[in-house]
Amino acid sequence: MSLTNQPDPEARARVVAQDLQNVMHPIVQHRALEKSQLVVTGAQGSTIVDADGSTYLDAMAGLWCVNIGYGRTELAQIAAEQMEQVAYYPHTAMNLPAARLAEQINALMGGGYHTYFVNSGSEANEAGFKVARQYAKHEFPGQFRFKTIARYYAYHGTTLATLAAGGMGERKMKFEPFAGEFIHVPAPTCYRCPLGLEYPSCKVACAKAIETTILGEGPQTVAEVIVEPIMSGVGVAVPPDEYLPMVEAICRKYDVLLHVDEVINGFGRTGKMFGHQHYGISPDIMAVAKGIVSAYLPIAATVVKDSVFNSFLGEVAEARQVMQVNTYGGHPAAAAVAVRNIEIMLEEKLADRSATMGAHLIEGLRERLFRHAITGDVRGKGLLIGIELVTDRESRTQLDGALVQGVVDFCKANGVIVGRSGGGARHSNTIVLSPPLIITRSECDTLIEVLDKALAATVARMAGQG
Ligand SMILES: Cc1ncc(COP(=O)(O)O)c(C=O)c1O
């Protein structure tokens, strides 16, 4: 099957049969896949191509990750050249691309950080939990700092520990019980404040809840607080400007490490290189994945402030070294591709582009979509955007799940892939957008147009049902 948009129905039918008989897919129901599938055989810019010849504007950049867009063939050459030179050697030794990549990340952070390489966002957070615990063992002998404070409705990954840290009940319940070291606090989901308050009279009570929790648990038991600066999966929750500085101050007060999850926010998604840079905070641990390599190959990282890194230095006999290892960490080919990916982002100023194109998109969406009574909120930063759907703006009652899915399906039928938040009954009514950062103005306008029609069709459907 070629990488063009020449329809090839026979090859497509073969792949579908082969897949349905042999593959177990993540998170989607196979019965649904029997009826409708995407078989992606080509991709360029912000567009993906199905083997049946259909093209789609991919307003999700895959899974929030193809930041520089599809079809950058120079990255294939870089991977091939690196694999010809040295395809692999474990990262207990050094290799050129991984050293360069760590140097790039350090520069993007303004210096003072070391990078530990892993293979996915989940693993990057998991390694972060372990760094926090090991650091606490070194620095606070006699204390027992092992707990992570996290937020309800957060998503930090799919492994058991990252799921436990996450706060999405329906993603967790089939795997429970978890060990009890992840403690949850209310999230800054302001449109649906979990504390029933309103900004600014709330005085950011959700940040203060972190202090109450640290005190309640006992500071000598708490290793870290984990936050995704702008929560993505729950439907894009942009916190009040004071929130993260308040969280940082609380962490400092109790010697608790601040761990930021930049798996989606990072690498230009929110209009700055990293999401936390909007808020002037300085994380101790940072997890990155997705945009680090725009998903051209799997690589991710746990980035650690030097004050934490220094705790891992000592004589060999002291056994202070990082007590973790993974086979593929610092993979030379993936690192080489990530290095070039970051260079492309800097050369093409994609973080700035994300800020300006995101502002254009949000403005256009607000102008067009608020004409429909079911548009509750349009929010975001850069090209990370959520459109929350409600039965009416007054009550803010969540739009029925089938209707929200109807919007996603309408967009697909009209050539646009959009996402939907995952947050159980309370938070799964938001359409989410996270397109490649190279999306054009006219593609943004297509996106607005199709969403406008999708909401109009939904309102008509509701009137028909009523
Ligand atoms: C905020 C956040 N953290 C971590 C992860 C886990 O990353 P991965 O799927 O690469 O393990 C995700 C995945 O979407 C995410 O959205």
Side-chain angles (χ1 to χ4, degrees), residues 32-167:
L33 282 180
E34 286 166 8
K35 295 191 196 110
S36 155
Q37 330 79 21
L38 265 180
V39 182
V40 181
T41 51
Q44 186 66 43
S46 299
T47 301
I48 59 167
V49 185
D50 187 281
D52 67 8
S54 314
T55 60
Y56 299 90
L57 170 60
D58 179 10
M60 280 307 289
L63 212 47
W64 329 67
C65 53
V66 188
N67 290 14
I68 62 168
Y70 296 99
R72 305 265 193 170
T73 50
E74 68 168 299
L75 296 184
Q77 278 153 17
I78 284 168
E81 280 163 23
Q82 182 58 48
M83 287 170 83
E84 279 166 17
Q85 198 176 341
V86 50
Y88 171 73
Y89 194 76
H91 212 201
T92 42
M94 299 180 186
N95 76 65
L96 200 143
R100 172 70 190 123
L101 179 56
E103 183 182 56
Q104 277 178 320
I105 295 170
N106 193 26
L108 294 174
M109 290 296 284
Y113 286 83
H114 278 70
T115 292
Y116 176 73
F117 287 108
V118 293
N119 310 292
S120 69
S122 302
E123 213 187 322
N125 279 322
E126 187 99 23
F129 303 149
K130 291 163 79 182
V131 163
R133 289 185 188 202
Q134 192 179 340
Y135 169 84
K137 283 272 191 297
H138 295 170
E139 300 303 318
F140 302 102
Q143 295 189 10
F144 196 37
R145 290 183 180 254
F146 64 101
K147 292 176 189 163
T148 294
I149 295 179
R151 282 98 51 91
Y152 286 113
Y153 298 111
Y155 183 74
H156 295 300
T158 192
T159 60
L160 282 175
T162 53
L163 261 187

Side-chain angles (χ1 to χ4, degrees), residues 1 7-17 51:
M1 197 177 292
D8 193 343
E10 268 176 41
R12 190 181 195 282
R14 251 196 331 273
V15 172
V16 171

Side-chain angles (χ1 to χ4, degrees), residues 229-308:
I230 297 170
M231 295 173 84
S232 310
V234 70
V236 185
V238 183
D241 284 344
E242 309 89 309
Y243 177 82
L244 285 168
M246 285 171 72
V247 173
E248 182 181 49
I250 293 165
C251 287
R252 302 288 167 245
K253 188 168 168 188
Y254 298 100
D255 288 327
V256 165
L257 297 182
L258 177 58
H259 172 164
V260 299
D261 178 344
E262 293 269 0
V263 170
I264 288 179
N265 284 196
F267 296 98
R269 170 59 53 205
T270 70
K272 287 197 187 282
M273 205 37 109
F274 298 110
H276 72 266
Q277 291 174 337
H278 290 284
Y279 304 101
I281 61 166
S282 168
D284 301 302
I285 297 170
M286 174 173 82
V288 290
K290 300 192 190 256
I292 188 176
V293 67
S294 291
Y296 276 77
L297 280 175
I299 188 167
T302 310
V303 183
V304 175
K305 197 187 257 181
D306 283 351
S307 51
V308 176

Side-chain angles (χ1 to χ4, degrees), residues 60 64 151-157 166-171 185-194 227-239 243 261 264-265 377 379-380 384-389 398 404 419-434:
M60 280 307 289
W64 329 67
R151 282 98 51 91
Y152 286 113
Y153 298 111
Y155 183 74
H156 295 300
M168 289 186 177
E170 94 282 13
R171 294 261 176 118
V185 294
T189 43
C190 296
Y191 187 73
R192 295 189 185 283
C193 176
V227 289
E228 186 186 16
I230 297 170
M231 295 173 84
S232 310
V234 70
V236 185
V238 183
Y243 177 82
D261 178 344
I264 288 179
N265 284 196
D377 195 21
R379 56 184 176 248
L384 182 63
I385 297 171
I387 303 150
E388 180 147 0
L389 303 178
Q398 292 87 342
V404 179
R420 180 180 167 192
S421 57
R426 191 161 165 80
H427 285 292
S428 58
N429 57 317
T430 298
I431 299 296
V432 290
L433 308 176
S434 171

